Amino acid sequence: MKIIMLGAPGAGKGTQAKMIAEKYSIPHISTGDIFRANIKEGTELGKKAKTYMDKGELVPDELVVDLVVDRLAKDDAVKGYVLDGFPRTIPQAEALDAALAKRNEKVDFAIDVNVPDENIVKRMSGRRACVGCGATYHIVNVPPKKEGICDTCGGELILRDDDKPETVLNRLSVYHEQTQPLIDYYTKEGILKTVDGTVPMMDVFSAITAILG
Ligand code: AP5
Ligand code: MG
């Protein structure tokens, strides 16, 4: 099963993608997580990506597409995957379709997790991410058992660099301009499914599993 998660920054793509990956035993591939891992390791890709991410801009398509296409060719992706944060532009979606078409494959579902802008800034300022394993919490909605400490690995929980309110606002406007057109793109392909992302996360998950079967 090949699934794409669409939605504004903070809509809950990562939260849902992790649960989908577990339930259907497919890898969760997040381009944001890949870039953050590269930034942490100090790679050339990480250094380049950071200059865009810190401003809330998109990393240029040419730095993203090959990375994802290579990742999808790995053995663990033969049965499918859940893509989180990719594609994010029409050229990325076209590049993905072209790469899959070469192998006679196609995306099965594009799931749009719909959350209005006014809910987003609140969510992002409360989000905490683990420096160790990348797990995501929210200080009010999804709190860890012990404040500031990851339930899974005991790592420190921090506010992501790009979750400051002014950067979040820019990420939202970049989303509307460059990523929202993908809703039409996947509607035309006949695979778009929209779920309400404002309800509790287990209810969002139930709506998604009802679609995926
Ligand atoms: P990326 O890491 O993909 O960030 P994003 O799209 O901005 O999305 P987020 O990860 O912030 O939100 P999310 O939807 O995953 O929400 P989450 O589940 O955490 O990208 C970061 C940057 O990398 C980009 O800005 C860009 O620069 C670059 N980049 C990445 N991919 C790229 C690409 N393909 N091309 C170019 N550049 C790229 O949830 C948010 C919060 O809400 C959490 O605290 C969570 O606990 C809480 N929450 C979740 N669900 C619920 C619920 N139902 N109710 C209440 N609270 C909830
Ligand atoms: Mg995410």
Side-chain angles (χ1 to χ4, degrees):
M1 190 152 39
K2 300 179 187 65
I3 305 161
I4 290 171
M5 302 302 291
L6 295 174
K13 302 182 294 296
T15 302
Q16 297 300 326
K18 276 198 186 73
M19 292 193 280
I20 294 169
E22 203 167 306
K23 180 170 164 83
Y24 296 95
S25 303
I26 49 177
H28 166 208
I29 301 173
S30 156
T31 40
D33 288 352
I34 294 172
F35 288 137
R36 282 184 288 276
N38 274 274
I39 291 171
K40 203 169 147 196
E41 286 161 23
T43 67
E44 275 313 304
L45 175 67
K47 282 178 199 156
K48 282 187 197 153
K50 187 171 171 29
T51 61
Y52 300 95
M53 290 170 75
D54 281 352
K55 289 184 280 187
E57 306 288 337
L58 294 185
V59 176
D61 290 340
E62 56 272 25
L63 292 181
V64 189
V65 171
D66 292 351
L67 180 94
V68 175
V69 172
D70 287 350
R71 176 64 188 85
L72 299 186
K74 294 218 167 124
D75 289 349
D76 66 341
V78 280
K79 277 190 359 206
Y81 35 78
V82 50
L83 277 173
D84 160 16
F86 181 94
R88 242 183 164 94
T89 62
I90 296 281
Q92 288 182 17
E94 289 170 346
L96 175 64
D97 278 349
L100 291 180
K102 272 191 203 154
R103 293 185 244 155
N104 261 330
E105 294 176 359
K106 60 181 188 49
V107 176
D108 299 302
F109 298 99
I111 298 176
D112 177 35
V113 183
N114 194 289
V115 176
D117 286 8
E118 48 274 24
N119 301 29
I120 298 284
V121 181
K122 232 186 265 166
R123 273 201 191 179
M124 306 297 248
S125 56
R127 173 164 59 186
R128 297 293 179 272
C130 175
V131 288
C133 69
T136 303
Y137 299 86
H138 189 281
I139 52 174
V140 179
N141 305 337
V142 194
K145 292 196 182 88
K146 204 168 158 211
E147 196 185 319
I149 307 286
C150 178
D151 293 350
T152 316
C153 77
E156 184 195 355
L157 301 182
I158 57 156
L159 184 70
R160 241 167 66 179
D161 283 344
D162 58 350
D163 278 351
K164 296 175 186 80
E166 62 279 15
T167 316
V168 170
L169 290 177
N170 193 38
R171 283 162 65 197
L172 270 174
S173 76
V174 167
Y175 166 77
H176 288 301
E177 209 174 289
Q178 301 192 53
T179 307
Q180 215 170 12
L182 293 179
I183 307 266
D184 274 352
Y185 182 94
Y186 289 112
T187 301
K188 281 187 196 129
E189 286 197 0
I191 57 167
L192 186 87
K193 305 281 175 191
T194 303
V195 295
D196 179 2
T198 63
V199 296
M201 65 185 214
M202 288 316 296
D203 296 344
V204 181
F205 189 54
S206 303
I208 291 175
T209 53
I211 291 164
L212 300 179

